[in-house]
Amino acid sequence: MTKDDLSKGEEVEWSSHGGTGSGKVQERITSDTEAAGRTVRASKEDPQYLVRSDKSGGEAVHKPEALRRK
């Protein structure tokens, strides 16, 4: 998946401790910031994505290569 493939509201999946997680993209992060309870190191060249879990409602930050469209 390329870094520009995902947009807000897209449904995605990722590998999780107990199998597969799923949720929606909330934001594309392109600068260092605080998100999902941690410091996120990101840039325009190396973005990360804030996603909200369908199951728990919690937020997590993932690199684009860890996400795939549902």
Side-chain angles (χ1 to χ4, degrees):
M1 177 170 297
T2 65
K3 296 175 183 171
D4 296 321
D5 277 349
L6 300 172
S7 57
K8 186 175 180 175
E10 275 197 81
E11 294 187 9
V12 293
E13 294 180 327
W14 58 90
S15 294
S16 172
H17 312 286
T20 302
S22 64
K24 289 187 179 176
V25 174
Q26 301 297 303
E27 179 183 356
R28 182 173 189 246
I29 301 171
T30 58
S31 62
D32 292 352
T33 189
E34 296 288 324
R38 67 179 184 91
T39 301
V40 177
R41 301 287 179 208
S43 65
K44 288 181 181 179
E45 296 78 24
D46 191 23
Q48 295 199 40
Y49 289 92
L50 178 67
V51 296
R52 183 174 305 274
S53 170
D54 289 337
K55 186 174 181 179
S56 70
E59 292 183 332
V61 177
H62 295 285
K63 293 186 178 228
E65 56 270 16
L67 299 170
R68 58 193 174 276
R69 283 192 177 88
K70 279 180 81 172

